[in-house]
Amino acid sequence: MPESRCLQGIWSSPWIFIFAASGSAVGLGNIWKFPYLIGENGGGAFLVIYCACLLLVGLPILMAEVALGRTVRSNPIDTINDLSERRVISSFWVVVPWIAGLAGFLILTFYSVIAGWSIAYFERAVSGKLVGITQVQATGMFNHLLASPGEMLLWHSIFMALVVLTVGQSVTRGLAALVRILLPVLIVVMVLLAGYSLKTGDAADAIHFLFRWSWQDVSFDVVLAAVGHALFSLSIGMGAMFAYGAYMSKRMSIARACSAVVTVDLVVSLLACLVIFPLAFAFHINLDSGPSLAFVSLPIIFGNLPAGQLVGGFFFLLLVIAALTSSISMLELFVAWLHEKFYIARFKAALLLGGAAWFIGIAVLLSFNHWDVKVLFDLNLFELLDKLTSLIMLPVGAILLSVLVAWFIPKTMLQNEMITRQTSHFRLWYNTLKYISIPALVVITLAGWIGV
Ligand code: PFF
């Protein structure tokens, strides 16, 4: 299909896909969620299982999503409708992009609330409120934020407005330029912070915890959490990478581009642990304290760092931008579809969807205070949406999308797309997807649900 067919445009250089996809992958999932998942799931064992999931499940499925997007050069909903109308695939598959898009939309409802916390901490850092902060004060500050729905609403609204304004533009223009600067700067700042934290905190315990292996820590729950997070962190299973693949130049190798995205994503996650864990050990912060972990540890670092006001402000600003470049991809599937199918202006489509996500986000932020009630399965709304998307919708979306690619899309169509010079590379990917990634994901997901 010619590149000019893509209504949303093409990334201006082949490399930009790597930056944009990494921008989607790197976000709160790496810096806020990954450290507390490691903390809750026993350290090194989770890390090893997570790396295996990235390599054997994440990477092949990421390549499948991107390849499908680039083959058809259109949004996932129209693509699947079209393939089904042409009887290439059955009409059953029409539901798949809807499940995928809905997962992205639901993630945005709580992601925006957490991104709002990052804006709150940006404000606290630059206004000097973190200077000299102790562990007790940092915990108190976070609890105070959670108990203030009005303040959380303000930050959540600001973040969602930024999302709508950015998605309203064409993603192939502004986004790429932003991520090209953001990512290298974020990595450099995190390396420096990790150095500081390892030097001043308890490096030995942190490294031991992060890299220790114990069979006792391995269970199906842990494996399900690892695979769910691998999908979340790589933004797969929800059509975001499908949509970005549609804007990718034919000159770029999908295997190389996707490997680069997985590497960047893992590096940022590991750096986040090296920033947070040494200080968490030194200050006796509970590693299994869940979502509060990063927002209690990081302020202590900045509060005690020379020029911490500036560095802390800068870091939280980077975190907000990283969350923004991830959130954009959550809405891209539906925004591109509304634009291509009904000619609705991108801005209007973004406003409609962002407005709906903002509204549900209000209920999410209330679930941290006035409305902290168990909605279903002993979980409050935030916990329910987090688990529903990571442990059910993303695995289901990823399984269906990859089954579609591996078993139903004609092999020759994919072969042309992969443009790898060696057919052995294509075969390796295709067979891994078919016989390892999909069966593994099905077994892990089912076993995790049944609670084996
Ligand atoms: N990968 C993002 C992160 O780790 O923060 C989260 C994410 C982005 C999830 C895009 C879903 C999505 F469509």
Side-chain angles (χ1 to χ4, degrees):
M1 190 151 313
E3 307 210 324
S4 55
R5 272 288 303 274
C6 186
L7 282 179
Q8 315 294 327
I10 292 283
W11 305 115
S12 54
S13 118
W15 287 99
I16 296 206
F17 167 82
I18 298 183
F19 283 106
S22 303
S24 167
V26 172
L28 296 169
N30 306 68
I31 296 165
W32 158 74
K33 197 171 179 191
F34 186 72
Y36 87 72
L37 280 179
I38 288 228
E40 282 178 345
N41 290 293
F46 181 86
L47 181 61
V48 172
I49 297 169
Y50 178 73
C51 290
C53 291
L54 278 186
L55 204 66
L56 295 176
V57 179
L59 179 61
I61 295 183
L62 175 62
M63 288 171 64
E65 252 195 56
V66 172
L68 190 56
R70 193 168 71 173
T71 310
V72 294
R73 288 266 182 251
S74 177
N75 68 75
I77 299 177
D78 281 344
T79 297
I80 305 228
N81 281 347
D82 183 50
L83 290 172
S84 132
E85 272 161 25
R86 288 196 281 130
R87 302 200 182 280
V88 178
I89 53 177
S90 97
S91 56
F92 158 79
W93 295 101
V94 170
V95 295
V96 178
W98 287 96
I99 299 178
L102 188 63
F105 172 80
L106 288 179
I107 290 172
L108 183 61
T109 63
F110 67 85
Y111 203 83
S112 168
V113 173
I114 316 292
W117 297 351
S118 312
I119 308 183
Y121 274 85
F122 165 70
E123 183 275 326
R124 283 159 172 71
V126 289
S127 60
K129 291 184 189 131
L130 304 183
V131 177
I133 198 167
T134 63
Q135 195 244 317
V136 175
Q137 288 167 331
T139 310
M141 181 183 272
F142 184 67
N143 290 338
H144 183 262
L145 176 64
L146 290 192
S148 316
E151 195 193 342
M152 279 209 276
L153 177 62
L154 171 71
W155 304 125
H156 162 60
S157 309
I158 291 178
F159 184 78
M160 196 61 92
L162 290 174
V163 173
V164 169
L165 285 175
T166 333
V167 187
Q169 312 292 314
S170 159
V171 287
T172 50
R173 285 186 218 130
L175 169 70
L178 189 69
V179 183
R180 204 159 27 170
I181 301 167
L182 166 85
L183 264 184
V185 176
L186 181 69
I187 291 178
V188 170
V189 172
M190 289 189 69
V191 168
L192 295 176
L193 289 176
Y196 173 79
S197 180
L198 285 164
K199 200 162 139 259
T200 53
D202 188 345
D205 275 354
I207 301 279
H208 174 71
F209 179 75
L210 193 54
F211 296 108
R212 75 164 184 207
W213 171 270
S214 156
W215 281 107
Q216 278 170 340
D217 296 328
V218 182
S219 68
F220 264 111
D221 278 351
V222 170
V223 181
L224 181 63
V227 88
H229 188 64
L231 303 178
F232 182 90
S233 195
L234 292 178
S235 312
I236 46 185
M238 53 216 119
M241 291 300 183
F242 184 130
Y244 279 12
Y247 315 147
M248 184 185 190
S249 160
K250 293 272 183 200
R251 279 176 291 152
M252 185 51 132
S253 146
I254 290 180
R256 254 189 251 150
C258 292
S259 306
V261 173
V262 172
T263 310
V264 170
D265 192 61
L266 180 61
V267 166
V268 176
S269 296
L270 284 175
L271 281 173
C273 293
L274 292 177
V275 173
I276 290 172
F277 287 169
L279 278 158
F281 273 104
F283 286 92
H284 306 292
I285 297 170
N286 245 347
L287 288 187
D288 58 1
S289 52
S292 68
L293 182 61
F295 288 97
V296 172
S297 314
L298 290 171
I300 300 176
I301 303 188
F302 300 127
N304 295 285
L305 193 71
Q309 200 167 335
L310 201 73
V311 181
F314 189 55
F315 178 82
F316 282 115
L317 181 67
L318 290 175
L319 188 58
V320 174
I321 302 176
L324 187 62
T325 56
S326 296
S327 305
I328 292 168
S329 62
M330 296 175 202
L331 282 189
E332 182 57 23
L333 184 150
F334 282 144
V335 168
W337 175 67
L338 288 171
H339 180 62
E340 289 174 16
K341 178 95 182 161
F342 302 103
Y343 303 105
I344 297 179
R346 280 188 66 99
F347 180 73
K348 271 196 198 150
L351 192 62
L352 194 76
L353 291 162
W358 172 80
F359 192 68
I360 301 174
I362 297 176
V364 173
L365 68 87
L366 287 174
S367 75
F368 286 100
N369 37 70
H370 295 317
W371 195 48
D372 186 8
V373 288
K374 308 294 175 206
V375 190
L376 206 63
F377 304 123
D378 212 23
L379 302 167
N380 69 22
L381 185 66
F382 163 70
E383 294 160 342
L384 183 69
L385 286 172
D386 181 23
K387 298 250 182 307
L388 174 73
T389 48
S390 286
L391 306 184
I392 299 178
M393 295 181 82
L394 298 190
V396 170
I399 289 168
L400 292 175
L401 274 170
S402 36
V403 165
L404 177 64
V405 172
W407 302 97
F408 294 91
I409 300 290
K411 198 171 164 182
T412 44
M413 214 164 147
L414 295 167
Q415 241 156 351
N416 293 338
E417 211 44 62
M418 282 296 171
I419 49 159
T420 104
R421 260 161 234 116
Q422 279 133 316
T423 39
S424 61
H425 286 182
F426 175 80
R427 247 186 281 129
L428 178 67
W429 164 72
Y430 197 60
N431 290 333
T432 310
L433 180 69
K434 256 185 166 168
Y435 303 114
I436 299 180
S437 314
I438 298 173
L441 192 53
V442 170
V443 170
I444 296 167
T445 307
L446 290 179
W449 288 355
I450 306 166
V452 177

